[in-house]
Amino acid sequence: MKIRGGSPLRTLLIECVTDTAFIAAHSAGRYAHRHAQGKATHSTKLFSLIEESLAECGITVRDVELICAGIGPGSFTGIRIGLTTARMLAQVLSVPLVGLKSTEIYAASLAKNPGEQILAAFDAKKGRVFGGLYIVGEGNILNEIVTPGDYYPEELASHIDSTARTVIAGDGAERYREVFSKGNQHIEIIEGFMPDGKSAIDLALRTYAADSGSFTDIEK
């Protein structure tokens, strides 16, 4: 991916809305990501994951030019930890901070074929999920069918087009697999799914370009 006027920004992405922390990084065409499970991870291992991801890209936190963070929907505690960390780093480094919808971070790694639907759903407890439903457009751009939010699984499932191939992922999708797949022969459920670094970072750069207006020509 190239951005008019220079190389893509050296980017760090922090996603903590589920029990699994996900970190992605980019510099000079190199992408990396790390993830670790467990609620305690967010407060005890987050900086180690950040350092490892950046090191794989050949940089340190001082070199980062753009910080991105998942803003939910998801666990309030996870969102708070992720955003607090991202905001602190952005302030210390004096670099831009961009918020990304957490379901879109997951869905971006699944967007391969235009016309397919993608459902990302996280377990919200008490019989509900934090989820969002998308359809893949040209260039594998995600278009919202159902705005990310807090739903009963049945409510979210009612918006799935049973005639279109649908890929679903996330611990909420796995927990309520029977609800989402009932009577639908075109659904693929991916267990234990985590985003990949390149897809997440490319989403972050596109979002920053659109939000800031600083860059207008992005090419893959």
Side-chain angles (χ1 to χ4, degrees), residues 6-150:
S7 299
L9 300 176
R10 294 186 289 271
T11 305
L12 171 66
L13 183 150
I14 301 170
E15 166 58 65
C16 297
V17 302
T18 71
D19 288 348
T20 301
F22 171 77
I23 304 296
H26 165 267
S27 176
R30 298 168 66 178
Y31 297 85
H33 66 268
R34 295 285 190 280
H35 68 271
Q37 292 183 322
K39 293 181 179 180
T41 296
H42 299 348
S43 57
T44 62
K45 297 182 180 180
L46 193 57
F47 281 97
S48 294
L49 297 175
I50 290 172
E51 290 175 353
E52 291 172 8
S53 298
L54 294 173
E56 187 173 333
C57 293
I59 59 175
T60 69
V61 69
R62 298 183 186 88
D63 302 310
V64 172
E65 299 170 304
L66 175 66
I67 305 285
C68 304
I71 58 174
S75 159
F76 173 78
T77 300
I79 293 171
R80 179 177 56 81
I81 292 173
L83 282 177
T84 298
T85 302
R87 186 178 296 113
M88 177 194 68
L89 290 173
Q91 290 175 344
V92 170
L93 299 171
S94 297
V95 300
L97 173 61
V98 174
L100 302 172
K101 295 176 182 179
S102 299
T103 51
E104 194 167 356
I105 292 174
Y106 276 66
S109 293
L110 297 168
K112 308 298 182 183
N113 302 299
E116 288 186 344
Q117 296 175 125
I118 298 175
L119 171 67
F122 314 131
D123 187 10
K125 314 301 182 185
K126 298 182 179 180
R128 300 178 69 89
V129 295
F130 299 115
L133 181 64
Y134 304 86
I135 187 168
V136 182
E138 293 300 321
N140 291 335
I141 300 300
L142 296 170
N143 299 300
E144 288 183 3
I145 299 175
V146 178
T147 301
D150 184 350

